[in-house]
Amino acid sequence: MTGGVRKFYPEVRLKRLLAGPGGIRTQDALDCADRGLEGIRAHCLDAIDAKIEKIMNLAKSGEPGSLRECYTLSNEVFGEAGAFQLDELSAAAHSLCSLTSDSASDNIPIKAIIVHVDAMRALRTPALADNRDLRRAVLAELRGLVSRVAAPHGAN
């Protein structure tokens, strides 16, 4: 018996397909995807706006499970806004996710959720969307709000 190591490299179908002729270049595929996103942008932004309004209605309802639903919707807004390069809107939704991630807690002030919803609404307006410094200030305030709300939870 020899002490040598035998290596076995199975054929990977994907590797063979990628090496073959045909297909499109990566940049062409990305450009095509961007065009596809632009084609549905207005519809998706309307859906994001509807989710923001639903978050507001859920927050005001105070129904059991509403915080969990607020988290789910804000997580969807986070991803969808990011797909359309609405970075600050995505960050505001992420901040709301951070706030509502502990949905078992009844200590999350509804006003903090409402502030996030108002911020997301504002970030959808052209006046705020065109002002980078103001967008950054809004996000800084949201981060501060979340840390103040979370501080009592960490002290327990």
Side-chain angles (χ1 to χ4, degrees), residues 6-138:
R6 285 183 37 170
K7 294 182 180 181
F8 175 69
Y9 298 99
E11 180 183 10
V12 179
R13 182 174 180 262
L14 179 60
K15 183 178 179 181
R16 183 174 36 85
L17 289 172
L18 290 173
I24 63 173
R25 294 178 317 146
T26 303
Q27 188 59 49
D28 293 339
L30 291 172
D31 292 342
C32 183
D34 284 341
R35 284 191 304 275
L37 279 176
E38 283 306 312
I40 62 169
R41 182 182 180 91
H43 175 73
C44 290
L45 293 180
D46 288 344
I48 287 172
D49 292 339
K51 288 175 185 180
I52 292 169
E53 294 312 310
K54 188 169 182 182
I55 292 168
M56 178 65 90
N57 293 335
L58 285 166
K60 288 181 176 179
S61 77
E63 294 177 16
S66 63
L67 282 181
R68 187 75 194 143
E69 183 69 14
C70 285
Y71 172 83
T72 300
L73 289 168
S74 61
N75 192 40
E76 290 174 10
V77 171
F78 164 66
E80 293 165 6
F84 290 100
Q85 289 84 40
L86 300 171
D87 297 334
E88 289 83 5
L89 179 61
S90 184
H94 184 267
S95 179
L96 183 55
C97 286
S98 297
L99 182 69
T100 58
S101 63
D102 184 14
S103 62
S105 175
D106 294 327
N107 299 326
I108 298 172
I110 299 305
K111 288 183 180 182
I113 296 172
I114 292 170
V115 166
H116 276 80
V117 170
D118 287 341
M120 287 189 288
R121 285 174 175 163
L123 287 166
R124 291 282 295 125
T125 64
L128 191 57
D130 293 338
N131 188 329
R132 185 177 185 163
D133 292 335
L134 195 51
R135 292 189 320 257
R136 286 182 176 176
V138 166

